[in-house]
Amino acid sequence: MDIKNLLRKNIAELQPYSCARDEFKGEASVYLDANENPYNAPYNRYPDPLQWKVKEAISEIKHVPATNIFLGNGSDEPIDLLYRAFCEPRIDNVVAIEPTYGMYKVCANINDIEYRKVLLNNSFDFSADEMLQTADEKTKLMWLCSPNNPTGNSLNQDEIAKLLKNFMGIVVVDEAYIDFSSQPGFATKLHEFPNLVILQTFSKAWGSAAIRLGMAFASVEIVQVLNKIKYPYNINILTQKQALKALQEKEQVSNWVQALISERAWLTDELQKLDIIKHIYPTDANFVLVKVDDANAVYQYLVNKSIIVRNRNTVSLCLGCIRITVGTREENEVLIKNLKGF
Ligand SMILES: *Cc1c(COP(=O)(O)O)cnc(C)c1O
């Protein structure tokens, strides 16, 4: 499979902007090449456009070579760049599971790309064959999310592998919640699948939604394409520094994850005891989807108590559902106590 044949023609032929930090790499004593201000160090200098230090640190933890890593301004950036690289507006299309994370559809709309939905089954899982049947010769990308948002479950790994083997375009597997899952994820299988793009993020397990840092793991060819079309300095120095700090304190992250997984079990147990909860869907993420009789009423009742959950009532297959993020024990107790009063 040749990635070049999948690219939009203008992107394949694009001569990328060459910034000062691309043309001279390495250490020097006097920098007079980028029209920077010599005062106000260290913020006067442009940051590393390819963020190698951050990538090396991620590489050690994720066991993915640094050359297979793309970093973006949140996961939002690689989501958008994948459309811009592979999908010709008004001509190409993508196929996605439904329901799932809303940004795939919004970015399709922004880029004027047809977005085809394949409804999940009763256990919120998907069929590779159904995705393939929905595709045609203009389908360039497929969107999977595992564990899926807002349903919380992990998708069947054999079906994901089957789709990767049989679809002749790019398959994106969004693993934003993978750290909370008992399943291993696909990061270690990159070399098996040249058409695989894995998305992960600093926004959930890493506790760093504010710094806006998303990761894409993919073949060197795909990473090079994303690098070619991104803004030259897409990750600012404050974010790079803070990410390095977080990566050096990774035990902290495993402690948070362990705590949230056990809080998830506590929260699920307590929700189970409440009459207003009609169903609790199994979850591998740091949130739980529950069905109630009247989601709008429960949502508004909680808002009035100053507790905000996500009303998913209007989402496909989620009629009557609210999505609850796992918080601290104190926060979860406040939620349970108030739900008892509904
Ligand atoms: C929260 C979330 C993300 C994270 O997006 P960022 O832009 O990295 O903050 C990505 N994908 C899914 C499915 C999510 O739920």
Side-chain angles (χ1 to χ4, degrees), residues 305 307 329-339:
K305 303 279 183 189
I307 300 167
R329 172 60 60 90
E330 292 70 27
E331 291 169 327
N332 302 333
E333 272 172 353
V334 171
L335 172 79
I336 295 292
K337 193 167 134 265
N338 279 280
L339 281 177

Side-chain angles (χ1 to χ4, degrees), residues 74-76 101 104 145 149 174 176-177 201 203-204 212:
S75 307
D76 301 334
Y101 187 47
Y104 317 141
C145 183
N149 180 4
D174 189 339
Y177 300 98
T201 179
S203 298
K204 309 287 156 61
R212 307 308 302 131

Side-chain angles (χ1 to χ4, degrees), residues 7-8 10-11 77-89 107 110-111 113 141 225-226 229-231:
L7 284 175
R8 292 169 67 195
N10 63 315
I11 300 299
E77 185 178 358
I79 292 169
D80 184 55
L81 292 181
L82 285 163
Y83 281 109
R84 291 165 60 191
F86 293 104
C87 301
E88 199 61 44
C107 277
I110 291 169
N111 288 287
I113 308 298
L141 304 177
V225 169
L226 298 179
I229 64 177
K230 74 182 181 72
Y231 290 161

Side-chain angles (χ1 to χ4, degrees), residues 55-83:
K55 286 178 183 171
E56 294 295 348
I58 293 171
S59 172
E60 288 214 1
I61 291 170
K62 298 288 180 181
H63 309 292
V64 171
T67 48
N68 294 93
I69 302 174
F70 171 84
L71 296 181
N73 186 328
S75 307
D76 301 334
E77 185 178 358
I79 292 169
D80 184 55
L81 292 181
L82 285 163
Y83 281 109

Side-chain angles (χ1 to χ4, degrees), residues 9-215:
K9 186 163 170 290
N10 63 315
I11 300 299
E13 291 170 357
L14 179 74
Q15 192 60 48
Y17 176 72
S18 180
C19 63
R21 285 294 161 273
D22 286 327
E23 287 177 15
F24 178 84
K25 302 182 178 87
E27 297 299 314
S29 51
V30 180
Y31 285 101
L32 301 174
D33 59 344
N35 297 348
E36 295 153 335
N37 189 321
Y39 308 114
N40 200 35
Y43 303 109
N44 58 332
R45 299 295 173 194
Y46 282 103
D48 176 4
L50 292 172
Q51 314 98 17
W52 286 114
K53 285 202 180 107
V54 182
K55 286 178 183 171
E56 294 295 348
I58 293 171
S59 172
E60 288 214 1
I61 291 170
K62 298 288 180 181
H63 309 292
V64 171
T67 48
N68 294 93
I69 302 174
F70 171 84
L71 296 181
N73 186 328
S75 307
D76 301 334
E77 185 178 358
I79 292 169
D80 184 55
L81 292 181
L82 285 163
Y83 281 109
R84 291 165 60 191
F86 293 104
C87 301
E88 199 61 44
R90 285 180 289 276
I91 294 173
D92 290 332
N93 68 69
V94 304
V95 175
I97 56 167
E98 170 74 10
T100 191
Y101 187 47
M103 272 307 283
Y104 317 141
K105 172 120 201 297
V106 171
C107 277
N109 290 345
I110 291 169
N111 288 287
D112 212 351
I113 308 298
E114 184 194 347
Y115 184 88
R116 302 182 176 185
K117 299 170 179 177
V118 175
L119 214 55
L120 295 173
N121 64 25
N122 286 340
S123 29
F124 289 146
D125 215 330
F126 83 111
S127 135
D129 284 336
E130 236 182 292
M131 301 280 287
L132 291 163
Q133 281 154 20
T134 307
D136 61 18
E137 72 285 357
K138 296 294 184 196
T139 305
K140 299 297 166 70
L141 304 177
M142 293 211 183
W143 295 96
L144 301 176
C145 183
S146 180
N148 188 32
N149 180 4
T151 58
N153 60 301
S154 298
L155 300 178
N156 183 310
Q157 301 221 9
D158 295 334
E159 286 295 302
I160 297 177
K162 183 175 174 186
L163 191 61
L164 282 160
K165 278 191 202 114
N166 291 288
F167 177 53
M168 293 299 117
I170 306 287
V171 177
V172 187
V173 183
D174 189 339
E175 296 185 347
Y177 300 98
I178 195 68
D179 302 87
F180 305 104
S181 170
S182 45
Q183 295 202 6
F186 274 74
T188 54
K189 297 187 179 164
L190 267 185
H191 58 279
E192 284 177 49
F193 304 112
N195 57 341
L196 169 62
V197 176
I198 296 161
L199 300 181
Q200 291 191 13
T201 179
F202 276 71
S203 298
K204 309 287 156 61
W206 287 88
S208 302
I211 72 172
R212 307 308 302 131
L213 191 60
M215 302 168 262

